[in-house]
Amino acid sequence: MHNKSGFPTTHVLGFLGSLLMTFLAGAIALKTSLSFSAIMWIIGSLALLQAGLQLFMFMHVNEGDARKVQLLNIAYGVFLALVIVVGTIWIMSGLHQHH
């Protein structure tokens, strides 16, 4: 979405939001005394928020007539990524137990 002057306001806001989340994750990782597990949960949550922000701000998922198809494609991609990650962890932990 551009305002009347043609300046891409939403793109700049999305970029600044992404930078903020990246620096926040780095600061949490380097400067806090939280447990490793808590830090990983916070960084993972910030990563998911940043991915969602980028999909809506830069990829324009919520625009156009094929909005439902785009969201379905994203859900399918997330499903495939989860199957690959969980399957890899499952296989690797099974191999580790048999060795």
Side-chain angles (χ1 to χ4, degrees):
M1 172 190 308
H2 297 275
N3 60 15
K4 291 182 182 182
S5 68
F7 188 74
T9 307
T10 56
H11 287 91
V12 172
L13 290 175
F15 177 69
L16 292 174
S18 294
L19 281 178
L20 177 69
M21 284 187 248
T22 300
F23 289 131
L24 185 61
I28 288 171
L30 296 175
K31 302 290 182 185
T32 62
S33 60
L34 296 172
S35 69
F36 177 78
S37 178
I39 291 172
M40 289 296 109
W41 275 104
I42 292 170
I43 291 174
S45 299
L46 285 170
L48 289 175
L49 283 172
Q50 186 174 0
L53 175 78
Q54 290 179 6
L55 280 172
F56 284 98
M57 293 293 200
F58 302 121
M59 301 302 290
H60 307 288
V61 170
N62 57 345
E63 297 176 4
D65 295 331
R67 187 172 26 207
K68 290 180 184 177
V69 173
Q70 291 174 346
L71 290 175
L72 185 62
N73 286 337
I74 290 169
Y76 181 63
V78 168
F79 171 74
L80 284 179
L82 285 174
V83 167
I84 290 169
V85 169
V86 171
T88 301
I89 292 171
W90 181 31
I91 293 296
M92 296 300 268
S93 66
L95 289 174
H96 181 66
Q97 290 175 357
H98 288 89
H99 189 326

